Amino acid sequence: MAHTTAEFTQVVDNEKVQKTQPNQVLNQMSRDMQIRLRKHQEKFPRTQEFDVQWQASMKDNGAQAGSANTEESARDAQDDTVKTDQASKRQRKARGRIDYRGKTYLAPLTTVGNLPFRRVCKGFGVNITCSEMAIAGNIIQGQGSELALLKRHASEDIFGVQLAGNRADIVGKAAEFVSNNCDVDFIDLNMGCPIDMAFNNGGGSALLAHPRKIERIVRTMLAATDCDITVKFRTGISRDVNVAHKLVPQFASWGTALGTLHGRSRQQRYTKVADWDYIGECQNVAETMPLFGGGDVMSWEDYWGHMETQKQCDGIMIGRGALIKPWLFREIEERR
């Protein structure tokens, strides 16, 4: 096949050129935005207003009453605090427009689930992709390496950003920033990371021991954003003490769009086998919220066994299986 034309000019495949253009990468933060964050010039009115409402309701009505009343007051606060110029900038996404059920989901893999790898998996047919875990505090401080994690390729048609943190105000501000300045379909709260760095700082799977803190974080994220809020979590912290079945109904009642349960505890990390029977039990109490499962899905037989034979979940998140063979998603689709 010739590489030059009759006039001896380079043959160009315009279709391939178009696919590799820089404008195919979205959510690239400017230097000016990074400086604004570092100088604390970026405002987060929705998060701050919700925080005020939450604390006031806790003081006036007590802890239980505050939980019930905060969501309604937060909705009123959103209308009062969102300025016209911010509304014009915000990438508005209709909350609840995505039906997650039955879709394949590439896990947010720290250090390896980067944009190039996600593009490879998109080429093999994965439906949902998510950024690597981003630390909420680092985002609102304008750290360049953290802001780079927000990038999205145009081929990622259902894409979300995963945030980690242990303070409602910090996670809420990061979520508000992402909602205002990025093109995302959902923002995910990490409650599954088992590594010591996250756990010892109270983030990741450490949150599973603090359901009230989880509620405040999730409700703050819902109040501060326009897109879906999802959660990723484990069975519990200790291997023999499962808590996920207690949290799942609460996630649904708070308005979470999707829950993803890794069938292992923090203590197990990635050892032993994932407890898919327990994932099935949690699905039975998920009410209207779709519940995805994850753990040890290495083949299309594993996938369809959990989805159709045992009917243990509404969808499956795949991590290590995709690292071993990214074409697993095509095998799932073709069932061979």
Side-chain angles (χ1 to χ4, degrees), residues 32-235:
D32 288 343
M33 175 58 74
Q34 189 175 8
I35 292 173
R36 282 179 57 82
L37 288 168
R38 290 180 175 179
K39 291 184 175 182
H40 307 289
Q41 295 173 342
E42 190 70 10
K43 304 301 180 183
F44 307 99
R46 300 171 80 176
T47 300
Q48 293 168 345
E49 182 66 21
F50 182 86
D51 190 57
V52 170
Q53 295 288 339
W54 177 278
Q55 294 186 47
S57 62
M58 293 297 102
K59 183 183 297 184
D60 296 341
N61 305 317
Q64 289 185 336
S67 172
N69 295 334
T70 302
E71 187 172 10
E72 182 177 355
S73 61
R75 291 196 194 100
D76 297 336
Q78 289 178 27
D79 296 333
D80 296 334
T81 57
V82 178
K83 305 299 182 182
T84 304
D85 59 334
Q86 293 172 323
S88 64
K89 288 194 305 178
R90 183 170 298 118
Q91 301 290 337
R92 289 198 174 274
K93 299 290 184 182
R95 184 169 287 163
R97 69 185 180 87
I98 299 173
D99 183 6
Y100 296 94
R101 290 180 172 84
K103 291 180 169 59
T104 52
Y105 190 167
L106 175 64
L109 301 161
T110 302
T111 71
V112 290
N114 49 37
L115 188 146
F117 180 72
R118 298 198 305 268
R119 288 187 65 185
V120 170
C121 292
K122 279 302 299 181
F124 287 115
V126 68
N127 302 126
I128 306 171
T129 54
C130 188
S131 74
E132 301 173 62
M133 179 181 73
I135 306 301
N138 293 346
I139 287 178
I140 62 175
Q141 290 172 11
Q143 291 191 17
S145 58
E146 219 72 24
L147 294 174
L149 299 178
L150 309 179
K151 292 180 181 178
R152 170 186 190 168
H153 191 263
S155 64
E156 298 180 273
D157 45 352
I158 304 177
F159 171 78
V161 165
Q162 186 183 73
L163 299 178
N166 71 336
R167 285 180 50 183
D169 57 336
I170 300 298
V171 178
K173 289 176 181 179
E176 185 171 353
F177 174 81
V178 171
S179 179
N180 287 352
N181 298 281
C182 298
D183 187 355
V184 295
D185 299 292
F186 63 92
I187 300 174
D188 186 71
L189 174 63
N190 183 305
M191 294 183 289
C193 183
I195 64 174
D196 292 340
M197 180 190 72
F199 186 85
N200 293 338
N201 288 323
S205 54
L207 286 173
L208 297 174
H210 307 284
R212 288 288 295 154
K213 181 179 287 189
I214 294 173
E215 178 182 6
R216 184 174 181 179
I217 293 174
V218 171
R219 288 189 183 275
T220 301
M221 294 174 72
L222 285 164
T225 63
D226 299 301
C227 60
D228 286 344
I229 299 300
T230 67
V231 290
K232 183 176 183 290
F233 53 108
R234 286 178 175 251
T235 59

Side-chain angles (χ1 to χ4, degrees), residues 233-235 242-249 261 275-287 289 291-292 312-314:
F233 53 108
R234 286 178 175 251
T235 59
N242 292 333
V243 300
H245 64 284
K246 300 177 183 178
L247 293 171
V248 167
L261 173 58
D275 190 347
W276 277 92
D277 290 335
Y278 181 63
I279 293 174
E281 293 174 19
C282 290
Q283 188 203 23
N284 293 333
V285 297
E287 301 177 359
M289 181 189 74
L291 182 70
F292 277 36
Q312 294 165 317
C313 56
D314 298 301

Side-chain angles (χ1 to χ4, degrees), residues 264-282:
R264 292 183 175 89
S265 66
R266 187 262 172 176
Q267 187 180 38
Q268 289 176 276
R269 301 204 176 198
Y270 300 97
T271 62
K272 310 296 182 181
V273 295
D275 190 347
W276 277 92
D277 290 335
Y278 181 63
I279 293 174
E281 293 174 19
C282 290

